[in-house]
Amino acid sequence: MLRTLAKTLLVTFGIDSAHADDFESLSRQAASEAPRYALGVGYAKTGEPPVTMTFGPIHKDTSRPVTADAQWHIGSITKSFTAALVMRFVDRQILSLDEPIEAYLPTDKGQMHSHWRELTLRQLLSHTSGLQANAPMADFSKRSDENLHSLRRAVLAPLWTSPLPNPSDAYLYSNLGYVLAGFIVEEVSGRSWEELVLEELASPLGLNSLGFGAPSEEGAPWGHRDLFLFKRKISPQGEITDNPPWLGPAGTIHLNLKDLLRWGQAQIAACKGEPNSLLSAASCQEMRKVVAENYGLGWVIETDKEAPYIWHNGSNSMWYAKLVILTEHDLVLVAATNVFDAKGIDELVDKLRLTNPVTDQSD
């Protein structure tokens, strides 16, 4: 199955046939997973409709195929949405990346330790705030989806009264930092992060499949959770299928592959300064600047390669997805599966990325 996919991509991308052996090798490595789990792959060139392919069943115990327009949980790729949302408010001069966040939290700053008051959105979005990775585990039992702004405050408030555990500008990946960034946007707008994502990002781009939590629509893949040495399918009805909704700004978005590719195309358009783009060119390019390690604002930036690219991956441990933007080729690649298979998906995407994905037709 994956061998057929590889051959299809070779023809579609116009990839040199000398690289066919690389694709076939990848096919052999990933073939053992393909019959039991769903796989989605896609690409989009600038100005062209996205192309996607889906394979496998909706879960391991059925032969029912995943649908072509199925929605996939994208985990922390959500962070690129939250960062872009912040930058929309930066473009309007409502927010500043480098203003202490106390300026945006008049109701709460009196209870905040000075370490927290002095944080900036740039630090939150680049994982250089010193915040811990996650809230205490007890907060993950708070699963209400009503008044999420108040629930996010309830998660954050007991923490921001104390000094930061790691007060420095060093890189430390923090879901909690993104929850706080989302909370700030809610405070200045008076709308929930979920409403803002739909109104400010999804609607202008026509991302009609975008939603929150695990996908539950007909034909969507079910997630699979590790249970000792086995993978157990997780029904979208009656089981815990995702992290709690308050974690939204850090990673609860789902959408279909075409819309995920359109999201990547929108980043290309904005950074080129195309008219009616989601962001100003300056804000888009700011997101691609490395702040610490190889992380910018909502994107991982690979600068030490012959062909630079930006990317993000995501998982709630039951799905795994990866989005890559080849900045020199104006090409977006995505791959997703409904089981935590970071190695398999990363290898697939890297092979596609490294196999000269755009044929030069300038002659």
Side-chain angles (χ1 to χ4, degrees):
M1 184 180 298
L2 284 177
R3 178 172 295 193
T4 301
L5 167 62
K7 294 295 186 183
T8 301
L9 289 167
L10 286 171
V11 173
T12 305
F13 284 152
I15 296 171
D16 192 311
S17 60
H19 297 283
D21 289 345
D22 292 336
F23 277 97
E24 292 180 4
S25 174
L26 173 61
S27 301
R28 288 191 295 272
Q29 295 169 15
S32 62
E33 289 287 278
R36 303 183 68 200
Y37 304 105
L39 172 69
V41 177
Y43 68 92
K45 300 179 185 179
T46 298
E48 297 183 10
V51 176
T52 61
M53 290 152 279
T54 53
F55 305 86
I58 63 171
H59 61 75
K60 59 179 280 194
D61 296 327
T62 183
S63 59
R64 182 181 173 192
V66 64
T67 57
D69 60 350
Q71 297 160 326
W72 303 77
H73 195 283
I74 63 168
S76 284
I77 300 174
T78 299
K79 291 181 172 68
S80 67
F81 288 76
T82 299
L85 185 60
V86 168
M87 299 310 292
R88 292 267 285 184
F89 282 78
V90 169
D91 278 340
R92 296 172 189 160
Q93 299 183 336
I94 297 172
L95 292 174
S96 167
L97 288 175
D98 299 309
E99 184 84 11
I101 64 170
E102 66 176 345
Y104 309 120
L105 301 174
T107 302
D108 302 296
K109 66 179 183 180
Q111 289 75 48
M112 299 173 75
H113 189 278
S114 60
H115 285 177
W116 288 72
R117 293 198 305 267
E118 294 164 5
L119 291 174
T120 67
L121 282 163
R122 189 185 300 277
Q123 290 174 306
L124 297 177
L125 298 179
S126 62
H127 301 294
T128 57
S129 65
L131 288 175
Q132 62 260 46
N134 290 298
M137 285 305 299
D139 287 322
F140 281 77
S141 64
K142 299 174 180 176
R143 294 194 162 270
S144 171
D145 58 2
E146 297 181 7
N147 200 340
L148 286 171
H149 184 62
S150 294
L151 190 52
R152 287 176 184 123
R153 176 181 276 113
V155 170
L156 292 164
L159 302 174
W160 65 35
T161 60
S162 301
L164 290 173
N166 305 286
S168 75
D169 289 329
Y171 176 83
L172 181 64
Y173 193 88
S174 176
N175 289 315
L176 195 63
Y178 267 77
V179 173
L180 179 53
F183 179 82
I184 290 168
V185 176
E186 291 177 325
E187 277 287 286
V188 301
S189 68
R191 290 178 289 167
S192 72
W193 172 83
E194 288 78 8
E195 291 171 332
L196 291 167
V197 168
L198 292 174
E199 295 169 13
E200 297 276 346
L201 305 179
S203 181
L205 297 176
L207 309 183
N208 297 323
S209 69
L210 190 148
F212 307 99
S216 59
E217 289 74 8
E218 195 77 11
W222 297 16
H224 292 80
R225 179 180 285 126
D226 283 327
L227 184 65
F228 300 106
L229 299 177
F230 299 95
K231 304 288 186 185
R232 186 174 76 84
K233 66 180 184 292
I234 304 299
S235 169
Q237 284 80 39
E239 295 195 68
I240 294 177
T241 56
D242 196 14
N243 288 309
W246 60 258
L247 197 66
T252 65
I253 285 177
H254 70 246
L255 73 176
N256 67 32
L257 294 181
K258 286 186 178 179
D259 280 351
L260 185 53
L261 288 162
R262 291 186 185 104
W263 176 245
Q265 287 179 309
Q267 312 313 305
I268 294 172
C271 280
K272 293 177 112 179
E274 294 184 6
N276 303 314
S277 290
L278 193 70
L279 300 171
S280 68
S283 286
C284 182
Q285 291 161 9
E286 194 71 31
M287 292 175 68
R288 296 185 180 187
K289 293 179 182 177
V290 172
V291 178
E293 300 281 338
N294 61 342
Y295 206 90
L297 307 178
W299 291 113
V300 182
I301 298 98
E302 300 290 349
T303 58
D304 59 343
K305 309 286 184 181
E306 292 183 5
Y309 61 99
I310 67 173
W311 62 275
H312 215 296
N313 57 1
S315 175
N316 67 354
S317 79
M318 290 173 272
W319 282 262
Y320 184 83
K322 190 166 188 175
L323 168 66
V324 172
I325 301 174
L326 304 184
T327 54
E328 289 192 347
H329 296 300
D330 292 345
L331 180 72
V332 188
L333 302 173
V334 299
T337 186
N338 60 338
V339 67
F340 183 74
D341 183 18
K343 180 179 179 182
I345 293 296
D346 288 352
E347 287 180 351
L348 173 59
V349 172
D350 278 344
K351 283 296 182 182
L352 298 179
R353 178 180 63 79
L354 294 170
T355 310
N356 193 22
V358 176
T359 301
D360 186 354
Q361 299 179 0
S362 58
D363 291 338

